[in-house]
Amino acid sequence: MKDISAMLTEHSQEHLLKVLDRLEGAEREAFVRRIEQIDWDMVELWKHPEDLSGKGRVRPITGLTLKEINEKREEFLQAGKQAIAQGKVGAVLLAGGQGTRLGVNGPKGAYDIGETHSLYIFEQLIRNLQDVCKLCERYVPLFVMTSELNDAETKAFLQEHGYFGYPKEYIRFFVQEMAPVVDLNGKLVMESANRLAMSPNGNGGWYTSMEKSGILKDFRDIEWLNVFAVDNVLQRIADPAFVGATILSGKNSGAKVVRKNHPYEKVGVLCLEDGISSVIEYYEMTEDMANEKDAEGNLAYCYGVILNYLFKLQKLRDTVGKKIPIHVVKKKVAKYENGETKKPDSENAYKFETLILDMVRQMETCLPFEVEREREFAPIKNKTGVDSVESARRLLALNGVKL
Ligand code: UTP
């Protein structure tokens, strides 16, 4: 066994030596195991939160516009339906987040957005997927990523609701990994007297966790994975036109995008970085880039990503073990100190997260596939205001969903 005390000292975490001395039995074992698993290179990153330098030469990317998609819809639909009917497409629901902005304690998908009757977020997403299954006469395997914090609750909730009518044999769960949390001076945070504070490691680790879990072996025909967020209740999942267009494009991935509302809208934008597909965050854009126009006078960087991607499995397999950027994010984290765990009023800690948008670069080629915002984008991040339960309800009603 490694010398844990020496390890803590080497990494300036002497404040935990007292904890180590005090713990016994199973609690000590669990604590030691957590410490042994820490990626210290990652923890060191707290010294450089959000180092944004190092972007290559960024250029606009050409995508499929709504008009082009409508002109070729039949061709795309046919190719996509065929791939789905042959079992080549799986869907991956990213449900490992904590939904802090929405203020939920349990899984975000278990949140009820109904007004006159219950309508859970998971329920609406499964309904959306069922539409495609009916059209293609084939169930799409649904992989649900949870975290250690919500795995049991997510499974219990879906079981209790009969998986909202989706056949259980087409659903698999896998758990994402956790990362430690440090305070603003780089010290590992305790969440209770005996346990380190850990947090889900972001949505960029989904494929590594999925591959490790071995669940893909049950569905050997899968060639493409459509990955989507838990909170966009309007999104089309395994959308045959999107699947078909991406396959026919010969690219390794596709991204559903909405046209930016204005130059400074706070969305990540699909672009080319040194000739390779990439997503640039709104805060990484210069004034000139934000306002650059194409030949028709439209915004040149116009394709905002909505966290709905299609990835080629073969290419994903090539990325395993390759480094993906780790983002250091300042958050409010409940901390154990002086005998009690307290929730802070302001950001008091750094979390370490990888982001799915960085996988677009790993894919090297990506097809921007434009969708209508009012038809496919109703994210629920907050209770009220922008991207909220309120705005999502309005958009669902607009699309004929009874609430
Ligand atoms: P968000 O970035 O909106 O995070 O996740 P969140 O945890 O849901 O909400 P906040 O920021 O705490 O308010 C976008 C998508 O990525 C998933 C979320 O479940 C959501 O589908 N996600 C996020 C994970 O699966 N794991 C993570 O570690 C983070």
Side-chain angles (χ1 to χ4, degrees), residues 131-147:
D131 291 346
V132 171
C133 300
K134 273 190 209 118
L135 185 74
C136 301
E137 296 176 353
R138 170 107 190 200
Y139 279 105
V140 173
L142 174 62
F143 304 96
V144 183
M145 182 169 87
T146 61
S147 82

Side-chain angles (χ1 to χ4, degrees), residues 221-234:
D221 296 328
I222 291 182
E223 293 179 10
W224 294 89
L225 288 172
N226 180 206
V227 189
F228 61 101
V230 70
D231 46 38
N232 176 8
V233 281
L234 260 192

Side-chain angles (χ1 to χ4, degrees), residues 93-103 108 145-147 150 176-177 199-204 206 228-232 307 331 351 353-356 380-382:
L93 167 53
L94 300 180
Q98 292 177 280
T100 31
R101 281 169 287 173
L102 187 60
K108 202 173 186 178
M145 182 169 87
T146 61
S147 82
N150 68 14
Q176 75 173 96
E177 276 147 54
S199 146
N201 66 348
N203 59 24
W206 68 271
F228 61 101
V230 70
D231 46 38
N232 176 8
L307 217 173
K331 294 255 168 129
K351 289 186 176 181
E353 295 183 343
T354 56
L355 300 180
I356 190 169
I380 299 178
K381 301 285 184 194
N382 309 296

Side-chain angles (χ1 to χ4, degrees), residues 71-294:
E71 281 161 11
K72 294 192 177 159
R73 187 166 291 280
E74 272 317 304
E75 189 191 339
F76 293 157
L77 267 179
Q78 213 192 339
K81 273 161 62 177
Q82 194 184 13
I84 292 166
Q86 291 172 343
K88 290 185 180 171
V89 181
V92 183
L93 167 53
L94 300 180
Q98 292 177 280
T100 31
R101 281 169 287 173
L102 187 60
V104 288
N105 280 325
K108 202 173 186 178
Y111 194 84
D112 184 359
I113 51 167
E115 286 181 309
T116 58
H117 61 90
S118 61
L119 179 64
Y120 302 99
I121 293 182
F122 280 140
E123 181 176 11
Q124 182 59 36
L125 293 175
I126 287 177
R127 275 193 198 173
N128 296 350
L129 181 56
Q130 291 269 27
D131 291 346
V132 171
C133 300
K134 273 190 209 118
L135 185 74
C136 301
E137 296 176 353
R138 170 107 190 200
Y139 279 105
V140 173
L142 174 62
F143 304 96
V144 183
M145 182 169 87
T146 61
S147 82
E148 278 178 24
L149 304 178
N150 68 14
D151 183 61
E153 261 184 283
T154 304
K155 286 177 179 157
F157 177 84
L158 286 171
Q159 188 183 24
E160 186 190 326
H161 290 276
Y163 304 93
F164 296 108
Y166 212 73
K168 199 177 152 220
E169 60 274 27
Y170 284 91
I171 302 183
R172 295 287 182 284
F173 295 89
F174 65 103
V175 184
Q176 75 173 96
E177 276 147 54
M178 305 288 277
V181 177
V182 296
D183 68 16
L184 302 183
N185 297 311
K187 304 290 173 204
L188 292 166
V189 172
M190 296 292 291
E191 69 168 18
S192 69
N194 309 332
R195 292 222 316 250
L196 277 180
M198 302 291 289
S199 146
N201 66 348
N203 59 24
W206 68 271
Y207 182 68
T208 310
S209 303
M210 187 175 181
E211 192 61 62
K212 273 193 198 158
S213 73
I215 48 178
L216 270 164
K217 289 196 190 76
D218 299 341
F219 302 97
R220 293 194 181 270
D221 296 328
I222 291 182
E223 293 179 10
W224 294 89
L225 288 172
N226 180 206
V227 189
F228 61 101
V230 70
D231 46 38
N232 176 8
V233 281
L234 260 192
Q235 70 195 313
R236 309 313 302 165
I237 303 158
D239 171 358
F242 175 46
V243 171
T246 307
I247 294 177
L248 293 174
S249 74
K251 299 192 191 299
N252 294 323
S253 64
K256 285 207 162 186
V257 291
V258 291
R259 199 165 277 271
K260 266 173 70 169
N261 268 336
H262 59 86
Y264 305 107
E265 192 184 343
K266 291 184 174 177
V267 286
V269 167
L270 209 58
C271 62
L272 289 174
E273 187 188 337
D274 293 333
I276 286 175
S277 58
S278 184
V279 175
I280 180 165
E281 288 279 25
Y282 67 91
Y283 50 77
E284 295 173 299
M285 286 202 138
T286 61
E287 182 79 16
D288 284 350
M289 284 167 75
N291 289 291
E292 193 175 321
K293 301 275 166 32
D294 64 14

